[in-house]
Amino acid sequence: MAEKKNILTYEGLKQLEEELQDLKVNRRKEVAEKIKEAREQGDLSENAEYDAAKDEQRDIEARIEEIDKILRNAEVVVEEDVDVDKINIGCKVKILDLEYNDELEYKIVGSTEANSLKGKISNESPVGKALIGAKIGDTISVETQAGVIDYKILEIQKSN
């Protein structure tokens, strides 16, 4: 089975590359130093610092492997080439929640980058899926756990 493509914006790609570099260069050294210091304390069987450092080392290596896998299967969306006639990955959108008359602003990103606290929603989320392909003035309905929510598309922009 072919691996799923990880759709990333250029910003998301850079963040992952920076995190990977930090993990490989800085964090590996830090945790190796912690392990060395803990070893020097003697008996490893009851050494909480040693166990914690080994756990941290395992977590770092797992994250490095995870980022490597994401980057191997990355497909970068060139945001300058995004067509703003309709919503796609890499767009910023302003929508109106018709029930609460509340304006919301989102950036549509791949699932790897999604972070609702920063206004980044995945193209695979219910709202993201419904928005893809919509145009300014369109009204979309999104099926959620709380019921159906209707949104009107107010604005589509390139997100630079």
Side-chain angles (χ1 to χ4, degrees):
M1 183 170 110
E3 293 212 35
K4 177 183 147 200
K5 283 277 178 218
N6 295 303
I7 299 171
L8 295 169
T9 59
Y10 185 71
E11 174 190 357
L13 177 70
K14 283 281 156 240
Q15 285 176 341
L16 282 173
E17 287 174 340
E18 286 169 12
E19 182 183 352
L20 184 62
Q21 182 70 9
D22 180 54
L23 288 169
K24 286 182 172 179
V25 175
N26 302 325
R27 303 273 291 140
R28 269 183 175 162
K29 259 189 218 149
E30 288 170 14
V31 82
E33 192 58 39
K34 286 180 188 176
I35 290 170
K36 181 176 173 249
E37 287 171 12
R39 269 200 183 121
E40 289 169 358
Q41 293 175 14
D43 183 13
L44 297 180
S45 64
E46 293 183 21
N47 187 327
E49 287 85 8
Y50 178 77
D51 292 341
K54 290 301 277 183
D55 287 345
E56 188 178 352
Q57 182 182 44
R58 187 185 59 248
D59 294 345
I60 288 169
E61 294 306 320
R63 182 64 179 152
I64 287 171
E65 193 176 313
E66 180 185 6
I67 293 173
D68 274 337
K69 188 175 178 184
I70 291 168
L71 294 176
R72 259 196 318 276
N73 296 302
E75 187 175 298
V76 179
V77 174
V78 181
E79 293 169 77
E80 291 78 49
D81 297 346
V82 168
D83 175 10
V84 291
D85 291 339
K86 61 182 190 293
I87 298 171
N88 211 327
I89 296 170
C91 287
K92 267 190 182 168
V93 296
K94 193 179 282 185
I95 59 177
L96 178 67
D97 180 325
L98 295 174
E99 184 179 348
Y100 295 104
N101 200 30
D102 191 16
E103 276 190 22
L104 307 164
E105 213 168 294
Y106 294 117
K107 179 175 180 180
I108 311 296
V109 296
S111 58
T112 311
E113 280 179 83
N115 182 337
S116 59
L117 297 176
K118 293 184 178 177
K120 295 179 177 184
I121 61 169
S122 165
N123 63 313
E124 297 173 13
S125 70
V127 175
K129 268 187 201 168
L131 286 171
I132 297 289
K135 297 177 169 62
I136 293 174
D138 287 357
T139 299
I140 60 161
S141 295
V142 181
E143 185 83 36
T144 70
Q145 291 173 330
V148 176
I149 302 174
D150 295 321
Y151 297 104
K152 182 173 181 153
I153 314 314
L154 302 177
E155 207 174 290
I156 304 171
Q157 316 171 318
K158 290 184 182 188
S159 63
N160 336 9

